[in-house]
Amino acid sequence: MFNKICIIGVGLIGGSIARAARAQGLCDHIVAFGRQKSLKNLQLAKSLGVVDEYYVDIELAVKDADCIIITTPVGVIEHVFRQLKPFWNEQAIYTDAGSTKGSVIAAAQAVFSEVPANFVPAHPIAGAEKSGVEAAQDELFNNKRLIVTPVKLTSPQALDKIIAFWKRIGSQVSTMDVEHHDAVLAATSHLPHILAFSLVDLLGKRDEQVEIFKYAASGFKDFTRIASSDPTMWLDICMANKKEIIPLIQQLQTELGKIEQMLVGNESQQLFETFTYAKQARQRFLNQFDNHMSQSITFNVQPGGSMRGEIRVPGDKSMSHRSIMLGSLAEGVTHVTGFLNAEDALATLQAFRAMGVEIEGPVNGEVTIHGVGKHGLKEPKEPLYLGNSGTSMRLLSGLLAGQTFNSVLTGDESLSSRPMKRVTNPLATMGAKIKTQEGGTAPLHIIGNSHLKGIDYTMPMASAQVKSCLLLAGMYADGETTVTEPAPTRDHTERMLNGFSYPVNREGDKASINSNGTLQAADIDVPSDISSAAFFLVGASIAPDSDVTLKHVGINPTRTGIIDILRLMGANIEIINERTVGGEPVADLRVVSSQLKGIDIPEELVPLAIDEFPVLFVAAACAEGQTRLTGAAELRVKECDRIQVMADGLQILGVDAQSTEDGMVVQGKTSDSIGGGEVFSHGDHRIAMSFSIAGLRATAPITIHDCENVNTSFPEFRDLATQLGLQLT
Ligand code: S3P
């Protein structure tokens, strides 16, 4: 991109730019300019190989340079412009890395009267605890933000080139105007630095300072990390941007004053709400950050191997959601053990915190919920973001339709495209007022204070989410709400409601509820999720020489379709040590390898194994003969179209898998069933894990893209799968 780059002021930032430009091959020659006083630093930069040459004479330094980058503290930039002025080259591009932009623009105007067109103001948002050229690293800007703040006169060509340069060294580039930049940075960077400096200053001056630093917990270390930044640089930044910083300090003082008053007045609920709001806001920020900045995760699976060992997979997702919902509405304190610490269940947990429920944990699967009673939820201040979780959105839509306040439910791209009419239509018949997007998708705007009345509803599809949604709404409706299901679906809502002493009447295919009940806190022991265990039930069945025991798995008969189907295919699964824990049947499952055979999957088993079909298709690919699935159109509206995405992926791996409207036909092979290749999970956790399991019978490596959503249900998947013998990186 450039022949010669000249760095003016080569420290951590200037040195890292030089190293990154060299690593990416963006220029032939890099030199540094500095004052006589910093000769040692310049020599160090050269001896470390950061720059090729250095100068203390600016004329020599910038001679023939086509890119000049000013990385001095912002306080001396005006002086640097004055030194550069006699040698200013219209053909070169000038840029800087100052943290305040108003002061840099003012400096340019003071020296040149107008900001030169070939000067592009820029600010990389990257730093490190260490400063100085010795800390320079070529990866410093990788995946970090870089803000350019062009002014009216800035040349578009120069701007484009500087943007391209930063992108090449890994930055995510945004454009802002100067004032906006300084206001945003004052709040997000300058104020936090002042806080860190002042807290360490305050505590460090105490007599017992040795004690404080000795026992400083990680909170102190985390919070004050930025107080290790370079004082000269921060002095300059704070002075340069004080116009924006001073009002923020005043606001912060008011905020601290409020907290002081809450403590003085023992206003614990208000304090809790303040902390909860802050926690939520931070989570939203992290979610946005993840969406914008996260790299996608790719799984690489080496072919072959067997699975052996004994493990306990994480807690059941359906029960984890419901434990938070019902625990929150209960009177008293609910203790949950075995809670699934994964994104979907945490989305529900966060939503209830945002509605004023105090929830501790999860720590080692333990969660304590301080129930607020059936009518104790508070209006959330922000939309409730439910990530990828369909269960959260559908169940909450029913529960919130019965509240006195308004609420908004949002989710990620996948959740925002899933059908919600299946819940909003029957809820509307009950009298609920819910606005959806055109096509019946989220965000859902739920209007409170609607007078709900019970209905007698026969579901057009077998869905536990729809059933649960209506039962939860029925707790707030006049009269009886009855839901009839066309085929049995998971009944955790009904069981858990009973566990919380709320009457639900069940008769055959009907479940009925009314508003004459209260929920009493109960302790919940969530068993391992059979839907997570399913990957290893299939893995150990198809991989030769395997023997796996899965401990403490929930075997509620509305969930064991996977065991029934695999057994019909000839799998060797033993159910050991059956027991009942908190109203739910639990057992250990032992599975050893066997030659599976293709079958026609009985349709009545479909709802009982609804989440396990992606991995069952893998089992079918390794079975002898043909496997045919029908009556499973619901799979097309899960986290992705699981019929199409699995058929596409299996075909890439050389399997004859033909999708049909409501299922799939797979021609299994006994040897060399699955080839290698690159497949896409479309952000669906269960697809990602299923193709990983396929590796056990593959003849070449399998690469699976977009696996980050494995964290929605089973963050420990990779660790447990590799512990059992899968070669997954
Ligand atoms: C669930 C019900 C099922 C299932 C989902 C969890 C639940 O969805 O696929 O993963 O917890 O109620 P449907 O009700 O849409 O079948």
Side-chain angles (χ1 to χ4, degrees):
M1 290 183 91
F2 298 110
N3 296 320
K4 175 179 165 183
I5 291 180
C6 174
I7 308 270
I8 299 184
V10 61
L12 170 73
I13 299 291
S16 298
I17 295 174
R19 280 200 186 280
R22 197 187 295 286
Q24 296 301 319
L26 302 184
C27 64
D28 297 331
H29 197 55
I30 308 180
V31 303
F33 166 73
R35 297 166 301 171
Q36 185 69 37
K37 256 170 74 185
S38 42
L39 195 61
K40 273 215 172 100
N41 184 55
L42 292 167
Q43 286 166 342
L44 182 61
K46 182 172 175 185
S47 70
L48 290 170
V50 173
V51 296
D52 302 311
E53 206 44 78
Y54 63 84
Y55 301 91
V56 290
D57 177 338
I58 200 152
E59 182 177 2
L60 295 175
V62 299
K63 188 165 183 294
D64 300 326
D66 47 357
C67 180
I68 294 99
I69 307 179
I70 306 167
T71 56
T72 60
V74 280
V76 298
I77 287 194
E78 184 174 330
H79 177 66
V80 172
F81 280 141
R82 282 193 201 289
Q83 288 179 292
L84 283 169
K85 192 176 176 190
F87 314 105
W88 197 264
N89 174 1
E90 296 304 331
Q91 308 315 314
I93 296 179
Y94 295 75
T95 186
D96 77 318
S99 305
T100 59
K101 301 288 24 141
S103 68
V104 172
I105 296 300
Q109 283 163 339
V111 175
F112 300 96
S113 73
E114 266 177 335
V115 182
N118 57 341
F119 171 64
V120 181
H123 173 206
I125 305 184
E129 247 171 87
K130 297 192 180 127
S131 47
V133 70
E134 57 275 34
Q137 29 169 316
D138 58 5
E139 297 261 298
L140 187 68
F141 308 108
N142 200 15
N143 255 317
K144 301 279 166 47
R145 277 204 189 281
L146 177 289
I147 303 175
V148 280
T149 60
V151 292
K152 252 206 257 130
L153 296 172
T154 307
S155 130
Q157 291 79 8
L159 179 63
D160 286 352
K161 197 146 182 189
I162 289 300
I163 290 177
F165 175 80
W166 280 103
K167 283 189 175 163
R168 289 283 295 274
I169 59 181
S171 297
Q172 310 226 354
V173 181
S174 332
T175 307
M176 271 186 198
D177 67 43
V178 173
E179 292 73 32
H180 188 199
H181 170 276
D182 286 359
V184 168
L185 268 289
T188 56
S189 169
H190 309 165
L191 185 68
H193 276 82
I194 289 174
L195 275 173
F197 283 127
S198 61
L199 181 71
V200 181
D201 185 52
L202 169 81
L203 296 183
K205 281 188 182 139
R206 291 222 178 147
D207 289 349
E208 67 276 25
Q209 55 172 286
V210 180
E211 275 279 277
I212 287 175
F213 288 122
K214 186 166 162 199
Y215 293 110
S218 60
F220 179 80
K221 257 179 95 181
D222 288 349
F223 186 79
T224 59
R225 180 181 64 78
I226 49 182
S228 298
S229 309
D230 182 14
T232 317
M233 184 174 98
W234 280 96
L235 163 69
D236 270 8
I237 292 172
C238 292
M239 293 306 275
N241 203 26
K242 62 176 155 195
K243 189 167 103 301
E244 299 288 348
I245 296 171
I246 291 169
L248 284 169
I249 293 181
Q250 286 161 352
Q251 286 169 31
L252 183 76
Q253 280 166 342
T254 314
E255 182 71 21
L256 282 176
K258 278 196 224 151
I259 291 183
E260 184 189 355
Q261 285 316 309
M262 291 176 202
L263 291 171
V264 171
N266 279 327
E267 293 160 16
S268 55
Q269 183 59 25
Q270 258 167 311
L271 194 58
F272 172 70
E273 280 172 25
T274 306
F275 291 170
T276 303
Y277 178 76
K279 186 180 164 69
Q280 276 282 320
R282 186 169 189 275
Q283 189 58 46
R284 262 199 327 282
F285 152 74
L286 290 178
N287 291 341
Q288 274 173 15
F289 185 80
D290 280 354
N291 285 345
H292 292 131
M293 305 296 274
S294 81
Q295 301 271 307
S296 71
I297 295 173
T298 302
F299 281 177
N300 288 305
V301 186
Q302 292 308 310
S306 50
M307 296 205 123
R308 301 183 71 83
E310 186 179 285
I311 56 165
R312 179 169 170 164
V313 301
D316 187 276
K317 186 151 74 72
S318 293
M319 285 188 238
S320 296
H321 283 299
R322 288 154 170 87
S323 70
I324 297 291
M325 296 180 187
L326 301 189
S328 294
L329 296 178
E331 279 155 29
V333 177
T334 289
H335 297 280
V336 185
T337 48
F339 183 81
L340 171 65
N341 192 358
E343 284 169 12
D344 273 15
L346 291 175
T348 294
L349 188 149
Q350 290 295 354
F352 281 85
R353 278 191 180 142
M355 292 189 283
V357 184
E358 189 185 339
I359 305 175
E360 298 165 52
V363 178
N364 293 327
E366 287 182 26
V367 175
T368 304
I369 308 163
H370 298 263
V372 295
K374 208 172 127 184
H375 299 285
L377 295 178
K378 292 239 172 73
E379 174 158 8
K381 292 188 181 137
E382 303 278 340
L384 300 171
Y385 177 75
L386 303 171
N388 194 244
S389 177
T391 306
S392 308
M393 187 168 282
R394 297 210 176 108
L395 270 58
L396 271 176
S397 66
L399 201 159
L400 292 176
Q403 307 301 318
T404 50
F405 52 79
N406 299 344
S407 51
V408 181
L409 304 181
T410 66
D412 69 6
E413 213 182 310
S414 152
L415 184 55
S416 305
S417 63
R418 295 182 64 185
M420 291 297 147
K421 275 190 186 156
R422 57 180 56 202
V423 287
T424 56
N425 282 349
L427 284 173
T429 324
M430 292 178 78
K433 295 188 198 79
I434 304 180
K435 272 206 313 253
T436 67
Q437 303 308 293
E438 236 176 88
T441 51
L444 306 182
H445 291 256
I446 303 173
I447 314 296
N449 260 334
S450 315
H451 197 80
L452 300 189
K453 52 187 187 312
I455 52 168
D456 189 340
Y457 186 69
T458 301
M459 292 189 291
M461 77 292 285
S463 166
Q465 290 178 354
V466 176
K467 173 177 65 175
S468 305
C469 161
L470 299 177
L471 291 177
L472 293 175
M475 295 198 319
Y476 297 91
D478 282 346
E480 193 87 350
T481 298
T482 300
V483 187
T484 306
E485 48 190 8
T489 67
R490 66 191 69 188
D491 61 358
H492 306 300
T493 304
E494 300 91 301
R495 283 181 192 243
M496 212 182 275
L497 276 166
N498 284 157
F500 278 92
S501 315
Y502 202 102
V504 182
N505 191 18
R506 293 204 272 170
E507 262 180 57
D509 55 2
K510 292 185 193 312
S512 307
I513 199 167
N514 60 41
S515 60
N516 308 328
T518 54
L519 292 134
Q520 301 307 319
D523 287 351
I524 307 275
D525 182 354
V526 179
S528 294
D529 198 328
I530 192 167
S531 297
S532 298
F535 300 104
F536 307 123
L537 291 178
V538 171
S541 295
I542 63 174
D545 201 23
S546 296
D547 187 344
V548 168
T549 300
L550 300 156
K551 304 286 283 184
H552 203 78
V553 181
I555 53 157
N556 178 317
T558 59
R559 297 288 298 281
T560 45
I562 174 79
I563 298 179
D564 299 335
I565 295 170
L566 282 173
R567 279 180 168 168
L568 287 173
M569 294 175 82
N572 188 343
I573 301 171
E574 227 183 308
I575 300 177
I576 322 164
N577 197 8
E578 259 186 84
R579 55 216 183 259
T580 303
V581 178
E584 289 274 355
V586 171
D588 302 332
L589 304 178
R590 180 170 177 215
V591 51
V592 297
S593 348
S594 55
Q595 177 54 61
L596 300 180
K597 57 181 195 310
I599 57 165
D600 283 356
I601 297 173
E603 282 194 12
E604 67 274 15
L605 291 180
V606 170
L608 310 181
I610 192 68
D611 291 335
E612 285 67 77
F613 285 101
V615 79
L616 276 170
F617 295 140
V618 172
C622 303
E624 198 179 338
Q626 173 182 288
T627 295
R628 193 153 56 127
L629 172 69
T630 52
E634 275 293 298
L635 293 182
R636 292 203 180 267
V637 289
K638 292 292 173 188
E639 285 82 329
C640 71
D641 177 344
R642 285 184 173 161
I643 292 178
Q644 204 51 50
V645 169
M646 282 306 296
D648 291 348
L650 286 171
Q651 281 166 18
I652 290 171
L653 301 179
V655 178
D656 180 358
Q658 302 300 329
S659 62
T660 63
E661 213 172 297
D662 65 345
M664 202 186 304
V665 183
V666 183
Q667 308 299 337
K669 287 192 252 162
T670 49
S671 59
D672 290 354
S673 350
I674 298 175
E678 269 187 60
V679 294
F680 295 86
S681 80
H682 290 252
D684 184 325
H685 52 140
R686 300 200 198 277
I687 305 269
M689 293 185 272
S690 300
F691 281 125
S692 306
I693 291 298
L696 290 161
R697 281 282 288 274
T699 51
I702 300 179
T703 300
I704 308 143
H705 294 283
D706 313 326
C707 296
E708 47 289 353
N709 269 349
V710 166
N711 287 331
T712 61
S713 70
F714 197 171
E716 299 88 342
F717 173 73
R718 192 185 73 93
D719 289 346
L720 292 178
T722 48
Q723 186 186 323
L724 291 179
L726 185 73
Q727 298 170 65
L728 192 166
T729 52

